[in-house]
Amino acid sequence: MPLSPDQQSEIDEARAKPRETLRCVAPGLEAALYTAHPVLDHGFVRVIDYMGDDSAICQAARVSYGRGTKSVSNDEGLIRYLMRHWHSTPFEMCEIKLHVKLPIFVARQWIRHRTANVNEYSARYSILDREFYIPAPEHLAAQSDINRQGRGTTLEGETAARVLEILKADSARAYDNYLTMISDEGQQGLARELARMNLPANIYTQWYWKTDLHNLFHFLRLRADAHAQYEIRAYADVIGQIVAQWVPIAWRAFSDYRLGGAQLSAPELAVLRRMLKGESVSEEGSGLSAREWREFHALFD
Amino acid sequence: MPLSPDQQSEIDEARAKPRETLRCVAPGLEAALYTAHPVLDHGFVRVIDYMGDDSAICQAARVSYGRGTKSVSNDEGLIRYLMRHWHSTPFEMCEIKLHVKLPIFVARQWIRHRTANVNEYSARYSILDREFYIPAPEHLAAQSDINRQGRGTTLEGETAARVLEILKADSARAYDNYLTMISDEGQQGLARELARMNLPANIYTQWYWKTDLHNLFHFLRLRADAHAQYEIRAYADVIGQIVAQWVPIAWRAFSDYRLGGAQLSAPELAVLRRMLKGESVSEEGSGLSAREWREFHALFD
Amino acid sequence: MPLSPDQQSEIDEARAKPRETLRCVAPGLEAALYTAHPVLDHGFVRVIDYMGDDSAICQAARVSYGRGTKSVSNDEGLIRYLMRHWHSTPFEMCEIKLHVKLPIFVARQWIRHRTANVNEYSARYSILDREFYIPAPEHLAAQSDINRQGRGTTLEGETAARVLEILKADSARAYDNYLTMISDEGQQGLARELARMNLPANIYTQWYWKTDLHNLFHFLRLRADAHAQYEIRAYADVIGQIVAQWVPIAWRAFSDYRLGGAQLSAPELAVLRRMLKGESVSEEGSGLSAREWREFHALFD
Amino acid sequence: MPLSPDQQSEIDEARAKPRETLRCVAPGLEAALYTAHPVLDHGFVRVIDYMGDDSAICQAARVSYGRGTKSVSNDEGLIRYLMRHWHSTPFEMCEIKLHVKLPIFVARQWIRHRTANVNEYSARYSILDREFYIPAPEHLAAQSDINRQGRGTTLEGETAARVLEILKADSARAYDNYLTMISDEGQQGLARELARMNLPANIYTQWYWKTDLHNLFHFLRLRADAHAQYEIRAYADVIGQIVAQWVPIAWRAFSDYRLGGAQLSAPELAVLRRMLKGESVSEEGSGLSAREWREFHALFD
């Protein structure tokens, strides 16, 4: 369980005090504000605060287009139009702040999304908890034979057992030694900022992470994608469900145009036009490289 | 008066509907949410939404420092420490969204602050209103003799009258001709995206502008400064009063450390150390250039 | 002609002094470095400096993928792969610095691209030149009947003549009055920072603008697009030709995947799959809105 | 030694081919371009490319100020003026690209500087080398008693020996087990993206890191500071020396105004003014908190 009783009672307390506001309110987020959505074995995502909802996107767009947007009959049509034509600034008018607990190797991928605000737990100041990510058996995958950055089949039997044993034993030993080095019983304790270097990348850290909806969609497009590493995808999937509660119309537009959509190149469009006229196009005659041809067919077969 | 009766009744309506939220609430902002704070002759600043307050800054800092922050006795001490040591990320955890009406030449300075989200009224789509900034007599200043970018004494008498007459007449003529060109009575109307090029830089535009507290402080440090042009400073001053209502502790720290503070160079510190020991330091012996010496003395005399 | 004899001789001088460097060199850019590419009636784009070329993109990608990129046979295949899969960071390793002269209403659109470095000529300090954009007759377009932000047919005859007359006369008068106000002959001159507000949005300004290739591609995707206003598209087109000289492989990939490509939504992909199987899909049965259906057909008919 | 013979011969080859360019050239950087500056036990910093020099800063400032900058007699005066008054945009016109090899716990601090372009070696694709940071004995410091994030005295004797033994043994074991898990001899190898989680934070990674001079100065102000962790300060110090070679005038201004300067608060300035008039100010009468008073005195005693 990712939360201690103390943390849970803090959450209960925070949820017990509704206050009055004149701001716009997103009921879907209020329902679970502060609550921990579990991810992986010890991780979580919690919504701490938010600004705006679907109507805030439309409000900002209507400032831009002035009386021009009166002709768009409803919010859903307007939001889909904005999404389709990459008009990203109205989506930036919504903001969300999450509290996330995650393994360091996931944090290292995550932090590459630069347009966000972050406060991470500092192991220079404080002592990390003894919590390590150990993959569930069904996620213990072999290196893919065909994709250098992908996973293949699931490891089984003795191989799987050996890997789990290594991950657990090395984590435990590294953490014991971390405590040994910083201990000041009978010795001077090593500086925390140095001792932490002994800890492996599957130890959990936590941070506050705040971003706007446009950049969050960009994060989700890359990290909820099938090519993303499973462990960060697990977070992206949970955040996706949160976004669906927060801005349901924008989420549907994003799902249709980005998550479920595809970018086609000019040569691919040319091939499609020929095929739609009934022509049978071969790889040789397509103008596409072998790899492009393969990816093109994966989309339509 | 910057607002039409329609706009005022929209604001009244928005303020009439308090809702429940579990988020943190800043009473100082709720009291004036949506209300227009007048700036210049036709401009305003309105707070449309916000996220966080002083406690949100501390909460984020305490995630970073973990148990380490328990030793800081109170929020005010912590926030002043963060400000003094340029620990800027906790201030990024607060966000504010403003609706601003402002002359285009002010908007052009303002937009240079890149870390913000903006939706501006588009004169490609819509027709701009007939509203121009005409300086009040006391702000009609001559070019400074000593500062190439500054203002000198106030213009008076015939000179002032002539300038005001020019500004008013040229604005009026430009706007009349703008309407003439886009009119489709008895002619094809010129495209709006072209016709707008006839309008001068003192016409009012408006936008939604959203930023975090750290970047807002940076904006205020540069734009509430005595060297900033009066017209943008007028907006910065109003926003400063809003921030003081929103995050009073952070505002005091910012006032002490940034607005009222000063950055001293190594040679200036060396001079100060000598003076504090009772030495009488001359410009020649100071190691400062004439300009540096002048600015140094302006600080302490 | 956009350049004065003085400026031209400065350029000739800068081009007369080749120096030795160990950095990578892009011959296509060196050939025209500092030279002014004319845009509109008085504008230009000049390349002042650059960093990197096609090989720098691959070099950065190969740091990421390590030995993993050995399997990609050549630079072109690698760059196309990066473009296809939105791996944008290697493109950020190339940088370009341009000197641009442009009308203020174009500058106002341009500056919305935030991830760039800018130094603009300041009319607080200095006096603007008497140069205004007056559209060529073939670009003097009526407001579109069907697209609120677009242009329709070209204005002709008396209507066109009247518009040109207005634009020229108002520009000239505004500029004369600008000079009158700042003049200190027989009066105190108005501060420049105030006087500039009388100048219309078609006056020319200039700036140094520096950005990386990824963000430049983003700029070009939006501003070289048919929906962009003609006047900024004229700049984007010239910059596109510069990029083609600088990084020819990346430019081809960008042309295929972005400029000439299209983003299809999940419902559009579903329709395409049905059509490719020989099914005849009607608007009613497509699941697309009327607007989506129209845009979908525009792509394939 | 941080470089393999292969890498060294690549560098020699790159340095053997000077080319002609019309761009501005910084001789101080050309002299060591591509060369590895060693940092810590296995790390390095190499300059791969750069754009601009001191003159490029002035050139950009002169575009802004137009004829107004003619009055500044020389480049040094102009650059110092820009630095003193926080006019940061001209410094953004210079850009540098570094190749850095660094321990992961240093990389995690470094990456928090968001305004930079990064391509990091990916352990999803490729196998990390067996190289770990083990502190030199003189940097093996105890936790500070007075500063929660600082170091105290150096560990000695058995305590030091035990710590070094732990760091070495745990690194070696973790790496051996990493290889064991990914090996496909007699088993299916674990996916690299999973196996890497067993590696501790002192393993070396590498990246290309590109940023502009303004943001680099910001990085150096925070990371070359006495409060920064020694290990990242070691990189900042080496980069500082590189910057001094690249833009010597800007470096001197930065050293005077930022590295060696200090930010004083309004209450501190008030105390200084009283002291300069000969008044003896006590802590009680100063209006400063105990902590502020201590830091104030550290500056002037």
Side-chain angles (χ1 to χ4, degrees):
Chain A
M1 198 197 63
L3 291 179
S4 69
D6 273 13
Q7 289 171 314
Q8 189 56 54
S9 77
E10 266 183 52
I11 291 172
D12 294 342
E13 197 183 345
R15 287 193 54 80
K17 289 182 288 190
R19 298 163 185 195
E20 283 205 343
T21 186
L22 294 169
R23 293 171 288 172
C24 87
V25 169
L29 283 194
E30 295 281 343
L33 207 71
Y34 306 124
T35 304
H37 304 266
V39 192
L40 303 181
D41 50 355
H42 300 289
F44 61 70
V45 173
R46 298 168 60 216
V47 182
I48 300 300
D49 209 342
Y50 67 91
M51 174 194 281
D53 61 3
D54 278 323
S55 74
I57 301 166
C58 297
Q59 185 187 42
R62 291 195 167 106
V63 165
S64 296
Y65 305 147
R67 298 167 199 111
T69 36
K70 290 214 181 124
S71 62
V72 179
S73 51
N74 58 45
D75 283 7
E76 176 128 26
L78 176 56
I79 286 177
R80 293 180 74 84
Y81 172 86
L82 297 170
M83 183 68 74
R84 193 159 68 249
H85 291 282
W86 304 88
H87 291 200
S88 53
T89 55
F91 296 101
E92 297 175 14
M93 289 291 152
C94 295
E95 190 91 10
I96 195 164
K97 183 161 67 175
L98 304 174
H99 180 197
V100 187
K101 191 169 155 200
L102 71 177
I104 281 179
F105 72 93
V106 174
R108 296 233 302 136
Q109 295 184 321
W110 194 311
I111 200 72
R112 295 305 319 283
H113 295 264
R114 288 163 291 189
T115 311
N117 312 115
V118 186
N119 280 102
E120 184 177 354
Y121 185 89
S122 169
R124 287 187 78 193
Y125 291 79
S126 302
I127 301 171
L128 285 163
D129 289 329
R130 184 195 284 273
E131 287 182 312
F132 296 88
Y133 170 61
I134 305 295
E138 66 269 28
H139 294 124
L140 209 64
Q143 178 72 16
S144 167
D145 292 331
I146 53 167
N147 182 342
R148 294 194 63 94
Q149 70 172 311
R151 300 185 183 185
T153 55
T154 304
L155 295 188
E156 296 191 348
E158 268 186 46
T159 308
R162 202 160 46 229
V163 163
L164 287 176
E165 183 47 39
I166 286 174
L167 292 174
K168 286 177 194 167
D170 280 7
S171 299
R173 185 185 299 104
Y175 194 82
D176 287 341
N177 281 329
Y178 166 68
L179 288 187
T180 298
M181 291 190 289
I182 61 178
S183 165
D184 48 12
E185 292 188 25
Q187 66 172 12
Q188 281 193 293
L190 181 65
R192 289 167 187 179
E193 67 180 25
L194 286 172
R196 63 172 164 171
M197 81 172 73
N198 201 57
L199 294 168
N202 62 337
I203 196 167
Y204 276 87
T205 183
Q206 53 179 297
W207 61 31
Y208 273 46
W209 188 71
K210 170 172 156 287
T211 194
D212 65 65
L213 182 58
H214 167 64
N215 281 286
L216 186 58
F217 277 150
H218 188 68
F219 175 88
L220 293 178
R221 183 156 70 93
L222 296 178
R223 303 306 181 176
D225 185 88
H227 293 91
Q229 181 164 353
Y230 162 74
E231 280 76 18
I232 196 166
R233 213 166 63 226
Y235 286 88
D237 288 344
V238 166
I239 294 174
Q241 293 161 29
I242 289 168
V243 173
Q245 295 295 318
W246 177 26
V247 282
I249 299 177
W251 173 255
R252 279 196 297 276
F254 172 70
S255 298
D256 279 354
Y257 285 102
R258 298 287 179 276
L259 279 192
Q263 172 84 8
L264 295 183
S265 69
E268 287 172 326
L269 288 174
V271 168
L272 268 180
R273 285 187 199 104
R274 289 161 63 193
M275 289 170 76
L276 288 172
K277 284 180 183 146
E279 192 181 335
S280 168
V281 182
S282 68
E283 181 177 339
E284 292 68 39
S286 70
L288 305 180
S289 74
R291 184 163 203 162
E292 289 167 358
W293 181 253
R294 206 165 56 235
E295 295 186 13
F296 175 74
H297 268 276
L299 208 54
F300 291 107
D301 289 351
Chain B
M1 198 197 60
L3 290 179
S4 69
D6 273 11
Q7 289 171 313
Q8 189 55 54
S9 77
E10 265 182 54
I11 291 172
D12 294 342
E13 197 182 346
R15 288 193 54 80
K17 287 182 290 189
R19 297 164 185 195
E20 283 206 341
T21 186
L22 293 169
R23 293 172 289 172
C24 86
V25 168
L29 283 194
E30 295 282 342
L33 206 71
Y34 305 125
T35 304
H37 304 266
V39 191
L40 304 181
D41 50 355
H42 300 291
F44 60 71
V45 174
R46 298 168 60 217
V47 182
I48 299 302
D49 209 343
Y50 68 91
M51 174 193 282
D53 61 3
D54 279 323
S55 74
I57 300 166
C58 298
Q59 184 187 42
R62 293 197 164 104
V63 165
S64 296
Y65 305 146
R67 298 165 200 116
T69 36
K70 288 213 179 127
S71 61
V72 179
S73 49
N74 58 44
D75 283 7
E76 177 128 24
L78 177 57
I79 286 176
R80 292 179 75 85
Y81 172 87
L82 296 171
M83 183 68 75
R84 192 158 70 249
H85 291 283
W86 305 88
H87 291 200
S88 53
T89 54
F91 297 102
E92 297 175 14
M93 288 293 152
C94 294
E95 190 90 12
I96 195 165
K97 183 161 68 175
L98 305 173
H99 180 197
V100 186
K101 192 171 155 197
L102 71 178
I104 281 179
F105 72 93
V106 174
R108 296 234 300 135
Q109 296 183 321
W110 193 312
I111 200 73
R112 296 305 320 283
H113 296 263
R114 289 162 290 188
T115 311
N117 312 114
V118 185
N119 279 102
E120 183 177 353
Y121 186 89
S122 169
R124 288 187 77 193
Y125 291 78
S126 301
I127 301 171
L128 284 163
D129 289 330
R130 183 195 284 272
E131 288 183 311
F132 296 88
Y133 169 61
I134 305 295
E138 66 269 27
H139 294 124
L140 209 64
Q143 179 72 17
S144 165
D145 292 331
I146 53 167
N147 182 342
R148 293 195 63 92
Q149 69 173 314
R151 300 185 184 185
T153 55
T154 304
L155 295 187
E156 296 191 348
E158 266 186 50
T159 308
R162 201 160 45 229
V163 163
L164 287 176
E165 182 47 39
I166 286 175
L167 292 175
K168 285 177 194 168
D170 278 8
S171 299
R173 186 185 299 103
Y175 194 82
D176 287 343
N177 281 330
Y178 167 67
L179 288 187
T180 298
M181 290 191 288
I182 62 177
S183 164
D184 49 12
E185 290 189 25
Q187 66 171 12
Q188 280 192 294
L190 181 65
R192 289 167 186 178
E193 66 180 27
L194 286 171
R196 61 172 165 169
M197 79 170 78
N198 201 58
L199 295 168
N202 61 339
I203 195 167
Y204 275 88
T205 182
Q206 53 180 296
W207 62 29
Y208 273 47
W209 188 70
K210 170 173 156 286
T211 194
D212 64 66
L213 182 58
H214 166 64
N215 281 287
L216 186 57
F217 277 149
H218 188 68
F219 175 88
L220 293 178
R221 182 157 69 93
L222 296 179
R223 303 305 183 179
D225 185 89
H227 294 91
Q229 179 163 354
Y230 162 73
E231 281 75 17
I232 196 166
R233 212 166 64 225
Y235 286 87
D237 288 344
V238 167
I239 294 174
Q241 293 161 29
I242 290 169
V243 173
Q245 296 295 320
W246 177 25
V247 283
I249 299 176
W251 173 255
R252 280 197 297 276
F254 172 71
S255 299
D256 279 355
Y257 285 102
R258 299 286 181 274
L259 278 193
Q263 173 83 8
L264 295 183
S265 68
E268 287 172 325
L269 289 174
V271 168
L272 269 179
R273 286 189 198 104
R274 289 162 62 193
M275 291 171 74
L276 288 173
K277 286 181 184 144
E279 190 180 337
S280 167
V281 182
S282 68
E283 180 177 340
E284 292 68 37
S286 70
L288 305 181
S289 73
R291 184 163 204 162
E292 289 166 357
W293 180 254
R294 205 164 57 233
E295 297 187 12
F296 175 74
H297 268 274
L299 208 53
F300 291 105
D301 291 349
Chain C
M1 199 199 62
L3 290 179
S4 69
D6 273 13
Q7 290 172 311
Q8 189 56 55
S9 76
E10 265 183 53
I11 291 172
D12 294 343
E13 198 183 344
R15 288 193 54 79
K17 289 183 288 191
R19 298 162 185 196
E20 282 205 344
T21 186
L22 293 169
R23 293 172 290 173
C24 86
V25 169
L29 282 194
E30 295 280 343
L33 206 71
Y34 305 123
T35 303
H37 304 266
V39 191
L40 303 181
D41 50 355
H42 299 290
F44 60 71
V45 174
R46 298 168 60 216
V47 181
I48 300 300
D49 209 342
Y50 67 92
M51 175 194 281
D53 62 1
D54 277 324
S55 75
I57 301 165
C58 297
Q59 185 187 42
R62 291 195 166 107
V63 165
S64 295
Y65 304 147
R67 297 168 200 112
T69 36
K70 287 208 181 131
S71 61
V72 179
S73 50
N74 58 45
D75 283 7
E76 177 128 24
L78 176 57
I79 286 176
R80 292 180 76 84
Y81 172 86
L82 296 171
M83 183 68 76
R84 194 158 68 249
H85 291 283
W86 305 88
H87 292 197
S88 54
T89 54
F91 297 101
E92 296 175 14
M93 289 291 152
C94 295
E95 190 91 10
I96 195 163
K97 183 162 66 176
L98 304 174
H99 180 196
V100 186
K101 192 171 155 197
L102 70 177
I104 280 179
F105 73 93
V106 174
R108 296 231 303 134
Q109 295 184 320
W110 194 310
I111 200 72
R112 297 304 320 281
H113 295 264
R114 289 162 290 187
T115 311
N117 312 114
V118 185
N119 280 102
E120 184 177 353
Y121 185 89
S122 169
R124 288 187 78 194
Y125 291 78
S126 301
I127 301 172
L128 285 162
D129 289 329
R130 184 195 284 272
E131 287 183 312
F132 296 89
Y133 170 62
I134 305 294
E138 66 269 27
H139 294 124
L140 209 64
Q143 179 71 16
S144 167
D145 292 330
I146 52 168
N147 182 342
R148 293 196 63 93
Q149 71 172 310
R151 300 185 185 184
T153 55
T154 305
L155 295 187
E156 296 191 347
E158 267 186 46
T159 309
R162 201 160 46 228
V163 164
L164 288 176
E165 183 45 39
I166 287 174
L167 292 175
K168 286 177 192 168
D170 279 7
S171 299
R173 185 183 300 104
Y175 195 82
D176 287 343
N177 281 331
Y178 168 67
L179 288 187
T180 298
M181 291 190 288
I182 62 178
S183 165
D184 48 13
E185 291 188 25
Q187 66 172 12
Q188 280 192 295
L190 181 66
R192 289 167 188 180
E193 67 180 26
L194 286 172
R196 62 173 165 168
M197 82 172 74
N198 202 56
L199 294 169
N202 62 336
I203 196 166
Y204 276 87
T205 183
Q206 53 180 296
W207 61 31
Y208 273 46
W209 189 70
K210 170 172 157 288
T211 194
D212 66 65
L213 182 57
H214 167 65
N215 281 286
L216 186 57
F217 277 149
H218 189 67
F219 175 88
L220 293 177
R221 182 156 70 93
L222 296 179
R223 303 305 182 177
D225 185 88
H227 293 91
Q229 181 164 353
Y230 162 73
E231 281 75 18
I232 196 166
R233 212 166 62 225
Y235 286 88
D237 288 344
V238 166
I239 294 174
Q241 292 161 31
I242 289 168
V243 173
Q245 297 294 317
W246 177 26
V247 282
I249 299 177
W251 172 255
R252 280 197 298 276
F254 172 70
S255 299
D256 278 355
Y257 284 101
R258 299 287 181 275
L259 279 191
Q263 173 84 7
L264 295 183
S265 69
E268 287 172 325
L269 288 174
V271 169
L272 269 178
R273 285 188 198 104
R274 289 162 61 193
M275 290 170 75
L276 288 172
K277 284 182 184 145
E279 191 181 334
S280 168
V281 182
S282 68
E283 181 177 338
E284 292 68 38
S286 70
L288 305 180
S289 73
R291 186 164 202 163
E292 289 168 357
W293 180 254
R294 206 164 57 233
E295 296 187 14
F296 175 74
H297 268 275
L299 207 53
F300 291 107
D301 289 350
Chain D
M1 198 196 61
L3 290 179
S4 69
D6 273 12
Q7 289 172 314
Q8 189 55 55
S9 77
E10 265 183 54
I11 291 172
D12 295 342
E13 198 183 344
R15 288 194 53 80
K17 288 182 289 188
R19 298 165 185 193
E20 283 204 341
T21 186
L22 293 169
R23 293 172 289 173
C24 85
V25 169
L29 281 195
E30 294 281 342
L33 206 70
Y34 304 125
T35 304
H37 304 267
V39 191
L40 304 183
D41 51 354
H42 300 290
F44 60 70
V45 174
R46 298 167 61 215
V47 182
I48 300 300
D49 209 342
Y50 68 91
M51 174 194 281
D53 61 3
D54 278 324
S55 74
I57 300 166
C58 297
Q59 185 187 42
R62 292 195 165 105
V63 165
S64 295
Y65 304 146
R67 298 167 199 113
T69 38
K70 286 211 181 129
S71 60
V72 179
S73 51
N74 58 44
D75 283 7
E76 178 128 25
L78 177 56
I79 286 177
R80 292 179 75 83
Y81 172 86
L82 297 171
M83 183 67 75
R84 194 158 67 249
H85 290 282
W86 304 89
H87 292 200
S88 54
T89 55
F91 297 101
E92 296 175 14
M93 288 291 153
C94 295
E95 189 91 11
I96 196 163
K97 183 163 65 176
L98 304 174
H99 180 196
V100 186
K101 193 171 154 196
L102 71 177
I104 280 179
F105 72 93
V106 174
R108 296 231 304 133
Q109 295 184 321
W110 193 311
I111 200 72
R112 296 305 319 282
H113 295 264
R114 288 162 291 188
T115 311
N117 312 114
V118 185
N119 280 102
E120 183 177 354
Y121 185 89
S122 169
R124 288 187 78 194
Y125 291 79
S126 301
I127 301 171
L128 285 163
D129 289 329
R130 184 195 283 272
E131 286 182 313
F132 296 89
Y133 170 61
I134 305 293
E138 66 269 26
H139 294 124
L140 209 65
Q143 179 72 16
S144 166
D145 291 331
I146 54 168
N147 183 342
R148 295 194 62 92
Q149 69 172 313
R151 300 185 184 185
T153 56
T154 305
L155 295 187
E156 296 191 348
E158 265 185 51
T159 308
R162 201 162 45 230
V163 163
L164 288 175
E165 182 47 40
I166 286 174
L167 292 174
K168 285 177 194 168
D170 278 7
S171 299
R173 185 184 300 104
Y175 194 82
D176 287 343
N177 281 331
Y178 167 66
L179 289 187
T180 298
M181 291 191 288
I182 62 178
S183 165
D184 50 11
E185 290 188 26
Q187 67 171 12
Q188 280 192 295
L190 182 66
R192 290 167 186 179
E193 66 179 27
L194 287 171
R196 60 172 167 169
M197 81 172 74
N198 201 58
L199 294 167
N202 62 336
I203 195 166
Y204 275 88
T205 183
Q206 53 180 296
W207 61 31
Y208 273 48
W209 189 70
K210 170 172 156 286
T211 194
D212 64 66
L213 182 57
H214 166 64
N215 281 287
L216 186 58
F217 278 149
H218 188 68
F219 175 88
L220 293 177
R221 182 156 70 92
L222 296 180
R223 303 306 182 175
D225 185 89
H227 294 90
Q229 181 164 355
Y230 161 74
E231 281 74 19
I232 196 166
R233 213 167 63 226
Y235 285 88
D237 288 345
V238 166
I239 294 174
Q241 293 160 30
I242 289 169
V243 173
Q245 297 294 319
W246 176 25
V247 283
I249 299 177
W251 173 255
R252 279 197 298 276
F254 172 71
S255 299
D256 279 355
Y257 285 101
R258 299 287 180 274
L259 280 191
Q263 173 84 9
L264 295 184
S265 69
E268 287 172 325
L269 288 174
V271 169
L272 268 179
R273 284 188 199 104
R274 289 162 62 193
M275 291 170 75
L276 288 173
K277 285 181 185 144
E279 189 180 337
S280 168
V281 182
S282 68
E283 182 178 336
E284 292 67 38
S286 70
L288 306 180
S289 74
R291 184 164 204 162
E292 289 167 358
W293 180 256
R294 207 165 57 232
E295 297 187 12
F296 175 74
H297 269 274
L299 208 54
F300 291 106
D301 290 350

